[in-house]
């Protein structure tokens, strides 16, 4: 007895093995991608996506290597300062948070919250391990 089934993705009739679910690897891949989009976002994906967004935002605003700007400018773009990859403490005791090579320090200037943006420098490396 032969069972006739259809591809789970494109609904085309299947031929071959009785346990076959897809007509080809493209349909299998497309189906798995479609199913993953229906799943709630996993914690890892949320963190990774926020880090990518933070890096993109910091890169966009810090074209010169060092810049100070209002916190709202970053926040309006979706920046979240709670997501960072590492930190660096300078000789004054200020702790810069980094998203890969882009660093930021929250400061108060004229009663306004701002961020000082910097780029990672080679001299910061030795301080990382202390």
């Amino acid at each position: 007895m032969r069972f006739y089934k259809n591809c789970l993705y494109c609904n085309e009739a299947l031929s071959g093995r009785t346990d076959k679910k897809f007509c080809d690897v493209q349909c299998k891949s497309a189906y798995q991608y479609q199913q993953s989009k229906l799943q709630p976002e996993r914690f890892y994906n949320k963190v990774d996506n926020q880090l990518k967004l933070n890096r993109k935002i910091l890169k966009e605003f810090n074209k010169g290597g060092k810049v100070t700007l209002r916190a709202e400018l970053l926040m309006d773009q979706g920046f979240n300062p709670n997501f960072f990859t590492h930190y660096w403490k300078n000789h004054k005791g200020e702790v810069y948070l980094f998203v890969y090579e882009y660093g930021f320090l929250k400061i108060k200037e004229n009663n306004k919250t701002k961020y000082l943006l910097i780029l990672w420098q080679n001299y910061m490396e030795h301080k990382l391990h202390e």
Side-chain angles (χ1 to χ4, degrees), residues 27-62:
C27 279
K28 181 179 180 181
S29 178
Y31 178 81
Q32 290 172 341
Y33 178 75
Q34 183 183 56
Q35 293 301 304
S36 73
K37 288 296 184 189
L38 299 175
Q39 302 285 331
E41 193 174 28
R42 294 187 334 238
F43 178 73
Y44 167 81
N45 296 102
K46 288 181 183 179
V47 171
D48 191 47
N49 289 338
Q50 187 62 56
L51 285 172
K52 287 177 184 175
L53 179 60
N54 279 0
R55 183 184 181 278
K56 178 182 170 191
I57 293 166
L58 292 173
K59 181 180 180 182
E60 179 65 31
F61 282 102
N62 191 0

Side-chain angles (χ1 to χ4, degrees), residues 47 50-56 58-59 62 65-66 79-90 94-106 115-125 127-128:
V47 171
Q50 187 62 56
L51 285 172
K52 287 177 184 175
L53 179 60
N54 279 0
R55 183 184 181 278
K56 178 182 170 191
L58 292 173
K59 181 180 180 182
N62 191 0
K66 185 177 181 184
F79 181 77
N80 185 335
N82 296 319
F83 290 82
F84 55 92
T85 56
H86 59 287
Y87 67 91
W88 174 73
K89 187 190 234 183
N90 69 11
E94 299 167 323
V95 177
Y96 286 82
L97 303 177
F98 278 81
V99 181
Y100 304 105
E101 72 273 37
Y102 296 98
F104 60 96
L105 174 67
K106 188 175 183 178
Y115 282 98
L116 173 60
L117 308 184
I118 63 170
L119 282 175
W120 181 261
Q121 303 295 317
N122 288 336
Y123 70 84
M124 297 172 177
E125 184 68 33
K127 290 275 196 178
L128 244 186

